[in-house]
Amino acid sequence: MNKTALVIMAAGMGSRYGGGIKQLEKVGPSGEIIMDYSIYDAKAAGFDKVVFITRRDLEKDFREIIGNRVEKTIETEYVFQELSNLPGGFVVPSGRTKPWGTGHAVLSCLGTVTEPFAIINADDYYGREAFVKVHDFLAGADLAKKGHYCMAGFVLGNTLSENGVVTRGVCSVDDAGNLKKVVETFGIAKKDGHAEGKDAAGAPVILPLESAVSMNMWGVTPDFLPELERGFGDFLKNGGISDVKSEYLLPQVIDTMIQERRADVKVLKTPDKWFGVTYKEDKDAVVNALRELVDAGIYPERI
């Protein structure tokens, strides 16, 4: 059985959250943040290590709010997503302040993470079942074979915010449960029994609430990191360096690998309801949802 790591992406600037550090917002009954619950579920599922992807200016806060506690119960490492982490020949363009995206964030793990690993967002609650399914897939992965990954597949209607629009990777899944295509779709909101959003070009998209979506909970093997490195160079060469708002995104990377037949991704369906602090107004709903889970005995009063 393979050792496994949980990689938590927590370097985002929280622009939709009003510039605050939403990943560090206290939402549990004893002051827990959402990451506490993800790490709790990951440990219960059998993950051996936690890796935080953050920024150097957040490191002190991370260690004080969660890292120092986590380190007492599970192996913990930090890697840093920095704008200047670019291939040779590229420099950060003037006016670029936005991080390079989730693909670049995970690329920060190159040289640090050597075991199969799950990837999650810091500010999303995924539910226990997803961690068990992804862990079991990774623990049993044949590391001699490259490009065999998995994804926790959520139901779109279970992942929408009542307080604004969200971005989701909308998935096409074949009868065998394999991901055929994932399309990053923006500005999604519920409307009249369905959801509406926009594609990358800004064209409107109508989506059934039962659509399978990615919440950036992926399970990959170490061969994925060199793929990210190669793809990031291509992204920059093809205009990414000149557009100060462009992002190198995990769903797009994985979709490209699928279309080029260099990867297959098993979709592990989960009925769990997502919640998170995309917007400041989401906080009360998250606090209430966690209170209910604690009262139901899913989590202890204090983690």
Side-chain angles (χ1 to χ4, degrees):
M1 182 175 290
N2 303 316
K3 288 190 174 182
T4 55
L6 175 67
V7 171
I8 304 179
M9 297 185 292
M13 297 179 70
S15 58
R16 283 177 295 178
Y17 198 66
I21 304 173
K22 59 182 179 178
Q23 296 92 344
L24 304 182
E25 190 74 46
K26 295 180 180 180
V27 290
S30 299
E32 295 88 353
I33 61 179
I34 285 181
M35 278 184 280
D36 280 305
Y37 295 94
S38 293
I39 293 168
Y40 183 92
D41 287 339
K43 288 190 296 184
F47 283 89
D48 302 289
K49 181 169 74 174
V50 171
V51 180
F52 292 115
I53 305 173
T54 185
R55 305 195 311 262
R56 292 195 182 276
D57 62 301
L58 296 183
E59 182 181 6
K60 183 175 182 292
D61 287 337
F62 256 89
R63 290 187 182 275
E64 291 179 353
I65 292 175
I66 188 169
N68 293 340
R69 287 187 290 106
V70 171
E71 290 170 6
K72 297 175 182 177
T73 63
I74 191 170
E75 182 181 352
T76 305
E77 296 190 60
Y78 296 81
V79 296
F80 301 98
Q81 183 183 18
E82 300 180 271
L83 284 179
S84 58
N85 185 11
L86 298 172
F90 293 98
V91 296
V92 179
S94 175
R96 178 88 197 195
T97 58
K98 188 180 183 71
W100 293 103
T102 52
H104 181 253
V106 176
L107 182 55
S108 305
C109 295
L110 186 64
T112 299
V113 179
T114 58
E115 56 271 275
F117 60 98
I119 305 162
I120 65 169
N121 296 327
D123 52 344
D124 289 324
Y125 173 85
Y126 292 93
R128 183 168 299 178
E129 182 176 333
F131 284 97
V132 171
K133 288 185 172 182
V134 173
H135 170 267
D136 291 351
F137 179 96
L138 295 174
D142 183 353
L143 300 187
K145 297 181 179 180
K146 297 181 178 181
H148 295 292
Y149 310 141
C150 72
M151 183 201 86
F154 288 79
V155 177
L156 175 60
N158 289 343
T159 73
L160 301 178
S161 171
E162 297 294 331
N163 298 303
V165 299
V166 297
T167 297
R168 298 287 182 257
V170 179
C171 303
S172 298
V173 184
D174 67 18
D175 292 339
N178 295 309
L179 184 63
K180 293 172 59 180
K181 190 171 184 62
V182 55
V183 178
E184 196 80 346
T185 307
F186 308 87
I188 303 175
K190 187 176 180 179
K191 184 176 182 180
D192 299 330
H194 62 273
E196 296 182 3
K198 296 180 180 180
D199 64 17
V205 178
I206 296 177
L207 301 164
L209 293 175
E210 299 78 22
S211 300
V213 296
S214 162
M215 291 296 301
N216 262 343
M217 187 177 196
W218 304 95
V220 299
T221 45
D223 59 276
F224 183 60
L225 292 172
E227 288 283 351
L228 277 178
E229 185 177 38
R230 182 192 61 78
F232 187 51
D234 292 342
F235 162 81
L236 294 172
K237 291 175 186 176
N238 294 326
I241 193 68
S242 58
D243 182 351
V244 296
K245 294 185 177 180
S246 62
E247 293 185 85
Y248 182 55
L249 300 173
L250 282 174
Q252 294 172 356
V253 174
I254 291 174
D255 183 66
T256 296
M257 293 182 68
I258 292 171
Q259 304 314 316
E260 294 177 353
R261 300 185 183 278
R262 294 186 294 108
D264 57 77
V265 178
K266 182 66 68 174
V267 177
L268 309 175
K269 294 183 179 179
T270 174
D272 287 338
K273 182 174 175 57
W274 164 92
F275 52 80
V277 285
T278 304
Y279 300 92
K280 283 187 179 294
E281 293 82 4
D282 291 329
K283 181 180 177 179
D284 287 345
V286 172
V287 169
N288 293 335
L290 288 170
R291 179 72 262 176
E292 291 177 4
L293 290 170
V294 170
D295 289 345
I298 304 300
Y299 299 108
E301 185 76 21
R302 179 182 297 274
I303 290 182

